[in-house]
Amino acid sequence: MKSGWIWLVAAWGLAMVATLGALFIGEVMGMPPCLLCWYQRIFMFPLALILGMAAFADDRRGAVYALPLALGGAAVAGYHTALVAGWVPKWWVPCGTGPSCSQQSLEIFGGIQIPWLSLLAFAAIAILLFVFLRKTRT
């Protein structure tokens, strides 16, 4: 077993927790996602598959393919976080009909909103992938 494998498994574990959390909130709790949440799901759900296959096949290329997804998701989550925090002007809100992107009603862990957790998950996955790619450099 290579020394960097644990970093890849940790990134996969984070992607799985985030994916299952998003599915739980949407399907079990019945809270429909806003437009920016959908975009974040588009980045996160493939990460769970790609990183899982890469971890169990011990394939470095999976991390290379997953890194742009993690960075793209972090960008969307960062924008969503700024929007919820009020750092972005209201006329920049991309949402139309459906749930509001700027008004988040679900808070967990004592006031932490979902876009903040999404940003944390994407950033942590990207950092783990960077570490993995540095440790497994050929």
Side-chain angles (χ1 to χ4, degrees), residues 46-119:
L47 277 175
L49 294 173
I50 292 168
L51 291 174
M53 288 186 290
F56 288 101
D58 199 16
D59 188 1
R60 186 177 191 278
R61 291 176 298 171
V64 173
Y65 301 146
L67 190 56
L69 288 172
L71 295 174
V76 174
Y79 175 75
H80 197 183
T81 298
L83 187 65
V84 169
W87 302 334
V88 174
K90 293 294 181 195
W91 53 272
W92 277 16
V93 177
C95 292
T97 60
S100 172
C101 291
S102 60
Q103 301 295 323
Q104 295 293 312
S105 59
L106 180 63
E107 294 180 354
I108 57 176
F109 301 130
I112 299 173
Q113 296 181 341
I114 299 301
W116 290 91
L117 286 176
S118 178
L119 177 60

Side-chain angles (χ1 to χ4, degrees), residues 1-18:
M1 189 173 306
K2 294 182 181 175
S3 63
W5 183 76
I6 193 71
W7 301 103
L8 190 59
V9 171
W12 172 66
L14 274 174
M16 283 300 296
V17 168

